[in-house]
Amino acid sequence: MTRADQMKLFMEPRSIAAIGVSRATGPGTFNLLENLLGYGFPGRLYPVNPNAGEILGVKTYPRVAALPEVTDLALISLPRHLVSATVRDCVEKGIKAIVIITQGFADADDAEGKRLQREIVDIVRGTGTRILGPNTFGVANARLNMSTSYIRISMEPVAVGTISQTGGTFIGLNDIRLAGKAIDVGDACDITVVDCLEYFEQDDQTKVVVIHTEGMADAREFLRVVRRVALKKPVLALKTGRTPQSARAVQSHTGALTGSDRLWDVALKEAGVVRVGDIEELADAMRAFLTLRPPAGAGIGLTTYTGGFGIIAADACGKYGMELVEFAEPTLKGLRALSPDWMGVGNPFDIWPGVSIVGLPRTEVERTGLRYVLADPSVHAAMMVIGAYDAHMGEEHLPMIREAAQTHPEKPFVYFAYGPHFEEVRRTLESTGTTLAFPSPERAARALMHLRARAHFLARQTDPGNA
Amino acid sequence: MTRADQMKLFMEPRSIAAIGVSRATGPGTFNLLENLLGYGFPGRLYPVNPNAGEILGVKTYPRVAALPEVTDLALISLPRHLVSATVRDCVEKGIKAIVIITQGFADADDAEGKRLQREIVDIVRGTGTRILGPNTFGVANARLNMSTSYIRISMEPVAVGTISQTGGTFIGLNDIRLAGKAIDVGDACDITVVDCLEYFEQDDQTKVVVIHTEGMADAREFLRVVRRVALKKPVLALKTGRTPQSARAVQSHTGALTGSDRLWDVALKEAGVVRVGDIEELADAMRAFLTLRPPAGAGIGLTTYTGGFGIIAADACGKYGMELVEFAEPTLKGLRALSPDWMGVGNPFDIWPGVSIVGLPRTEVERTGLRYVLADPSVHAAMMVIGAYDAHMGEEHLPMIREAAQTHPEKPFVYFAYGPHFEEVRRTLESTGTTLAFPSPERAARALMHLRARAHFLARQTDPGNA
């Protein structure tokens, strides 16, 4: 069995034994079985509990040996001193995939936790059985309506595979689910980030891979594998434990070795990984890689509702290495025809004088302006700056977004929208599936920068001179 | 008349002459008069238009001389070559405050625009009449249901006074209105940021002053005045035109001198101004200064739902100079009583093992934990990290937020919340009026950093040795 095949037992199980499920159900009880039933997991479920005949209408079994089949997966949620014996029971039963949810192993402050962790590793060594955890939410697979986390989460079948060192990511961020498919490696006593990477590498349902890590024992092996995966699909990484004080906190969380932050920066970049600095940047970059194509260059063209916010957007582009191009003469000629005579037309292109002074309809200035900007050969990406002062204004933009996607699919086109109706306008604009709207130009420019960096990485592989 | 009194004619007019109002009304016509009527402006309105007897039921006057009173304010929205003569009419009528909305002056690319700007300045010199603009949205005052902008905006009587070089700010940012009271200085031919600062300095309805500027001719005078204002109320500044490419765009926007970005940084800090880098940071800092008290020091205590997100928050605190304190022994003792024996208790304090392993109710671990953390003498501010996995969970937090505000009003307490129900949870938490919730720990820590910097600035004034 390859590592990726073994991982399928965790990610796509047909049957699950849930060991240590409580009879207590309802709010505040964090009952795994109740969650799995609630999601509508279609596989077979076997709660193991010596004190109950059934839980939530599902027949329970007093011990692992009594299970009517060798399940694909076993979940262990028992006090830590009972875990080793149960792992042994699973191995004897022939179960090949175990999630140990229980905390208090390498993450504990005492010697006993470390000893228990060594003990479970020794039990499975050479048996073909593998362990995810301990101290983990386990796995989630939205396409299978399955999550082993004791907190009930919201899943969506987004094409994102997340490898994480905290179950917190299962909950998702604002506007974005990380559990498409997700794996929490926890204390990573056996299954590591590398195993998970190899699963997502071959998984056709995963278009973008996200890694949250606090550090790892074998960074060299990780970098070798992640580079291979990054050639096939975008890999985004949030490496935490960056400061001395947070690195100390990592010790009590997963016991991982955080390593030098500067070295991580260099190594991840070299491996073609998109390193993000925080969760907001992570969410934005994920959305960008799911929706937009990486641009062929850093040239950007801006159109704007107000000169002042155009300059704010220009600052943001400068900050993130997107270059405001000098428009070519045919572009300028077209834009001048939309503007008052006295206006110094350039990049950013201010649409408003054409509306308020020349008297053209706003949508005409916008659409024609964008057409000229996107046609400019030095423009590789475009940003439109709009004031979201009306909840319905997004609708007028739909035809021009569709036109941009048809005529220039290779040029990512994004919005920076500000104002009280941002959320409604964003939803409308993004309903096209070909653009994204951001509430700040920094976030828009940063997302484009990450797309650009990936295009650059891929280009270097085919032409090493292009460094 | 003092400069601040003169500014009251602009900000609190009892009567307005709207010169150049069109007969066209409805969507897409950007009719100033229609907007003012729509807001419910309680003052007297006099449209001036030689071709209409009435507009929207309001009697019009053929020219300024025919107006039945000397209005506090006149708005000019006419083609640029008609503006000079109209300014002269206003001066002759005795009107002391004029907003020139028209574009195409210093912001134009041609010599004619610059000439016209000199001309209007010459007309008002020595007359006691002052001009706001040209190229401006004018003014807004939510408490008076008044905005002179041709785009209809949403106003809220927030205690914020905004001085801006773009009307874009009148529209507001997400979740936040900049027009409480707002002034767009536009090309700033006469009234400058300094005049506006002096108005907000004495205005009791303004608790926080926001400045958006692309640059100015007399930075020395500005810095002298802004320092004086900053001693009385928080002043936040967004200085744009930071990069060479955006500075070029400023030339076609307002013709302002952008200046060295590094020098601005130093000068603003020295003057006690909170400089923000982008609009998201601006919105966050505004909310912080409106809601929270500046902390006495940089020491922060964290409590968290998951170890992983606690470390993410610790990274963010490190990035923005908030120091994770070592908890004192009584604090640790209290937190240990809420945790499993094996847990290494520290900062951040992870509440979940107390819930999932010790079996305590979540709200008890949270509330008692926060009580210990806030009582720690080296903690000057607290952040709680929560997963917003349920839309109603904010309600459970209300008693502990109230307790924190009562027992430690001097220690700002904020949330970093992540997850699909962020918005609902944020609204509930913030309904207390004493805390803020942020969707990333960077934004939470950055807002605390700005509060801290202000406390530090004020402390230095009373004790210059405290530098």
Side-chain angles (χ1 to χ4, degrees):
Chain A
M1 196 151 37
T2 65
R3 287 207 280 204
D5 281 340
Q6 174 99 40
M7 286 303 297
K8 284 187 189 168
L9 295 176
F10 287 95
M11 298 306 295
E12 302 157 30
R14 291 153 301 181
S15 54
I16 301 176
I19 307 162
V21 167
S22 160
R23 279 174 297 183
T25 59
T29 60
F30 308 111
N31 190 302
L32 290 176
L33 181 69
E34 189 172 19
N35 289 346
L36 282 163
L37 292 169
Y39 301 131
F41 172 65
R44 297 177 297 283
L45 287 170
Y46 305 105
V48 176
N49 180 324
N51 307 313
E54 60 88 26
I55 299 174
L56 294 163
V58 182
K59 178 173 158 55
T60 65
Y61 295 82
R63 48 190 193 286
V64 174
L67 289 173
E69 68 168 303
V70 178
T71 57
D72 282 348
L73 182 61
L75 314 178
I76 301 179
S77 175
L78 290 166
R80 67 174 183 170
H81 62 278
L82 300 178
V83 170
S84 294
T86 310
V87 168
R88 204 170 279 117
D89 292 346
C90 291
V91 170
E92 280 167 13
K93 182 77 181 177
I95 294 172
K96 298 296 177 197
I98 302 174
V99 173
I100 301 179
I101 293 162
T102 311
Q103 298 181 297
F105 292 80
D107 52 302
D109 204 31
D110 61 0
E112 177 66 3
K114 305 209 169 22
R115 191 191 66 76
L116 287 169
Q117 180 141 333
R118 283 193 303 273
E119 190 170 87
I120 55 172
V121 171
D122 286 342
I123 292 167
V124 297
R125 182 170 295 128
T127 64
T129 295
R130 302 207 62 189
I131 295 174
L132 178 64
N135 182 26
T136 178
F137 266 34
V139 294
N141 180 345
R143 287 192 172 72
L144 208 59
N145 295 321
M146 174 198 69
S147 164
T148 64
S149 88
Y150 48 82
I151 288 186
R152 179 91 184 257
I153 63 166
S154 306
M155 292 182 278
E156 264 176 46
V158 288
V160 172
T162 298
I163 306 164
S164 175
Q165 213 149 8
T166 170
T169 51
F170 281 45
I171 294 171
L173 306 175
N174 303 346
D175 303 325
I176 191 97
R177 300 292 169 274
L178 293 167
K181 292 187 176 180
I183 310 170
D184 174 5
V185 296
D187 292 351
C189 81
D190 178 19
I191 284 176
T192 66
V193 173
V194 171
D195 298 282
C196 305
L197 271 173
E198 291 184 336
Y199 171 76
F200 287 128
E201 180 182 18
Q202 56 76 49
D203 179 43
D204 290 336
Q205 294 173 330
T206 299
K207 305 291 178 209
V208 176
V209 180
V210 169
I211 301 171
H212 159 264
T213 181
E214 293 167 356
M216 52 191 82
D218 191 352
R220 197 178 300 265
E221 165 79 348
F222 164 72
L223 290 168
R224 190 182 63 75
V225 174
V226 79
R227 188 174 203 287
R228 191 181 73 214
V229 180
L231 288 170
K232 296 181 191 152
K233 29 189 115 174
V235 179
L236 319 185
L238 179 67
K239 165 69 181 68
T240 65
R242 306 180 73 162
T243 66
Q245 59 188 6
S246 65
R248 247 194 341 264
V250 167
Q251 286 314 302
S252 345
H253 180 227
T254 55
L257 299 166
T258 50
S260 149
D261 197 60
R262 185 92 38 106
L263 278 183
W264 272 103
D265 244 0
V266 174
L268 289 172
K269 190 177 178 193
E270 183 54 36
V273 175
V274 177
R275 184 178 186 178
V276 294
D278 58 56
I279 57 170
E280 194 169 73
E281 185 175 359
L282 173 63
D284 290 345
M286 273 173 59
R287 289 178 357 108
F289 280 107
L290 287 171
T291 308
L292 305 169
R293 260 205 251 173
I300 190 163
L302 300 181
T303 68
T304 180
Y305 271 25
T306 71
F309 275 67
I311 287 154
I312 287 172
D315 276 346
C317 290
K319 181 171 177 184
Y320 289 105
M322 298 302 294
E323 293 158 22
L324 258 70
V325 302
E326 303 271 355
F327 290 137
E329 193 45 43
T331 314
L332 290 171
K333 193 175 163 211
L335 297 177
R336 279 191 204 110
L338 301 167
S339 308
D341 294 341
W342 52 258
M343 190 170 130
V345 167
N347 189 10
F349 171 62
D350 188 347
I351 67 140
W352 211 262
V355 180
S356 64
I357 295 169
V358 184
L360 297 168
R362 197 190 65 209
T363 49
E364 187 188 323
V365 185
E366 281 170 339
R367 195 191 305 194
T368 315
L370 179 64
R371 198 177 285 155
Y372 285 119
V373 168
L374 280 173
D376 192 296
S378 61
V379 166
H380 303 112
M383 188 191 303
M384 191 173 276
V385 180
I386 65 174
Y389 53 83
D390 174 327
H392 298 286
M393 59 188 297
E395 288 148 30
E396 298 169 11
H397 285 260
L398 297 180
M400 80 186 90
I401 296 171
R402 292 202 188 94
E403 183 183 320
Q406 271 173 5
T407 56
H408 294 286
E410 79 289 2
K411 299 188 179 184
F413 167 50
V414 298
Y415 283 85
F416 152 44
Y418 59 93
H421 296 286
F422 171 75
E423 280 301 334
E424 299 98 313
V425 170
R426 181 175 75 82
R427 266 193 296 276
T428 308
L429 300 175
E430 294 185 353
S431 68
T432 57
T434 63
T435 190
L436 294 176
F438 296 90
S440 89
E442 282 74 18
R443 290 173 60 177
R446 190 175 58 183
L448 290 172
M449 173 192 75
H450 285 312
L451 290 171
R452 170 64 196 133
R454 177 156 179 82
H456 195 64
F457 169 72
L458 293 176
R460 265 189 313 177
Q461 307 314 309
T462 48
D463 175 9
N466 183 13
Chain B
M1 198 153 34
T2 66
R3 289 207 279 205
D5 281 339
Q6 173 100 40
M7 287 301 297
K8 284 186 190 169
L9 295 176
F10 287 95
M11 297 307 295
E12 302 157 32
R14 290 153 300 179
S15 54
I16 301 178
I19 307 161
V21 167
S22 159
R23 278 173 299 183
T25 59
T29 60
F30 308 110
N31 190 302
L32 291 176
L33 181 69
E34 189 173 19
N35 290 345
L36 281 164
L37 293 169
Y39 300 131
F41 172 64
R44 298 177 297 282
L45 287 171
Y46 304 104
V48 176
N49 180 322
N51 308 313
E54 59 89 25
I55 298 172
L56 295 164
V58 183
K59 176 172 160 53
T60 65
Y61 295 82
R63 51 192 190 283
V64 174
L67 290 174
E69 67 167 304
V70 179
T71 57
D72 282 348
L73 181 63
L75 314 178
I76 301 179
S77 174
L78 289 167
R80 66 175 183 169
H81 61 278
L82 300 178
V83 170
S84 294
T86 311
V87 169
R88 204 169 280 121
D89 292 346
C90 290
V91 170
E92 282 168 11
K93 182 76 180 177
I95 293 172
K96 298 296 179 197
I98 303 173
V99 174
I100 301 179
I101 292 162
T102 311
Q103 299 182 298
F105 291 81
D107 52 301
D109 205 29
D110 60 2
E112 178 65 3
K114 308 220 173 2
R115 191 191 66 76
L116 287 169
Q117 180 142 334
R118 282 193 303 273
E119 191 169 86
I120 53 172
V121 171
D122 286 343
I123 293 167
V124 297
R125 183 171 295 129
T127 64
T129 295
R130 301 208 62 191
I131 295 174
L132 177 64
N135 182 26
T136 177
F137 266 33
V139 293
N141 180 345
R143 287 190 172 74
L144 208 59
N145 295 321
M146 174 197 71
S147 164
T148 65
S149 89
Y150 48 82
I151 289 186
R152 178 92 184 254
I153 63 166
S154 307
M155 292 182 279
E156 264 177 46
V158 288
V160 172
T162 298
I163 305 164
S164 176
Q165 212 147 10
T166 170
T169 50
F170 281 45
I171 295 171
L173 306 175
N174 304 345
D175 302 326
I176 191 100
R177 300 293 169 274
L178 293 167
K181 292 187 176 179
I183 310 170
D184 174 6
V185 296
D187 291 352
C189 81
D190 178 19
I191 285 177
T192 65
V193 174
V194 171
D195 298 283
C196 306
L197 270 173
E198 291 185 338
Y199 172 75
F200 287 128
E201 180 182 18
Q202 57 75 48
D203 179 42
D204 290 337
Q205 293 173 330
T206 298
K207 304 291 179 209
V208 176
V209 180
V210 169
I211 301 172
H212 160 264
T213 181
E214 293 168 355
M216 51 190 81
D218 192 353
R220 197 177 298 264
E221 166 78 347
F222 164 73
L223 290 168
R224 191 182 62 77
V225 174
V226 80
R227 188 174 204 287
R228 192 181 71 214
V229 179
L231 289 170
K232 296 181 191 153
K233 29 190 114 175
V235 179
L236 319 185
L238 179 67
K239 165 69 181 68
T240 66
R242 307 181 72 162
T243 67
Q245 60 188 7
S246 65
R248 248 196 337 267
V250 167
Q251 287 312 305
S252 348
H253 180 228
T254 55
L257 299 166
T258 50
S260 148
D261 198 60
R262 185 92 38 107
L263 278 183
W264 273 104
D265 244 359
V266 174
L268 290 172
K269 190 176 177 195
E270 183 54 36
V273 174
V274 177
R275 183 177 186 178
V276 295
D278 58 55
I279 56 169
E280 195 168 73
E281 186 175 358
L282 173 62
D284 290 345
M286 271 173 60
R287 291 179 355 108
F289 280 106
L290 287 171
T291 308
L292 305 169
R293 259 207 250 173
I300 190 164
L302 300 180
T303 68
T304 180
Y305 271 27
T306 71
F309 275 67
I311 287 154
I312 287 172
D315 277 346
C317 290
K319 182 171 177 186
Y320 290 105
M322 298 302 293
E323 294 158 22
L324 257 71
V325 303
E326 304 270 356
F327 289 138
E329 192 47 43
T331 313
L332 291 171
K333 194 176 163 214
L335 297 176
R336 279 191 202 109
L338 301 167
S339 309
D341 294 341
W342 50 257
M343 189 170 133
V345 167
N347 187 11
F349 171 61
D350 188 348
I351 67 140
W352 212 261
V355 179
S356 65
I357 296 170
V358 184
L360 297 168
R362 196 191 65 209
T363 48
E364 185 188 324
V365 185
E366 281 169 340
R367 195 190 306 193
T368 315
L370 179 64
R371 198 177 285 156
Y372 285 119
V373 167
L374 280 173
D376 192 297
S378 62
V379 167
H380 303 110
M383 188 190 303
M384 190 173 276
V385 181
I386 66 174
Y389 53 83
D390 174 327
H392 296 287
M393 60 189 297
E395 290 148 30
E396 297 169 10
H397 286 258
L398 298 180
M400 80 186 90
I401 296 170
R402 292 202 188 94
E403 183 183 320
Q406 270 174 4
T407 56
H408 295 285
E410 79 289 3
K411 300 188 178 185
F413 167 49
V414 298
Y415 282 84
F416 153 44
Y418 58 93
H421 296 287
F422 171 75
E423 279 302 335
E424 299 98 312
V425 170
R426 182 176 73 84
R427 265 194 296 276
T428 308
L429 300 175
E430 294 186 352
S431 68
T432 56
T434 62
T435 190
L436 294 175
F438 296 89
S440 87
E442 282 74 17
R443 291 173 61 178
R446 191 175 57 183
L448 290 173
M449 172 194 76
H450 286 312
L451 290 171
R452 171 65 196 132
R454 177 157 178 81
H456 195 64
F457 168 73
L458 293 176
R460 265 189 313 178
Q461 307 314 311
T462 47
D463 174 12
N466 184 14

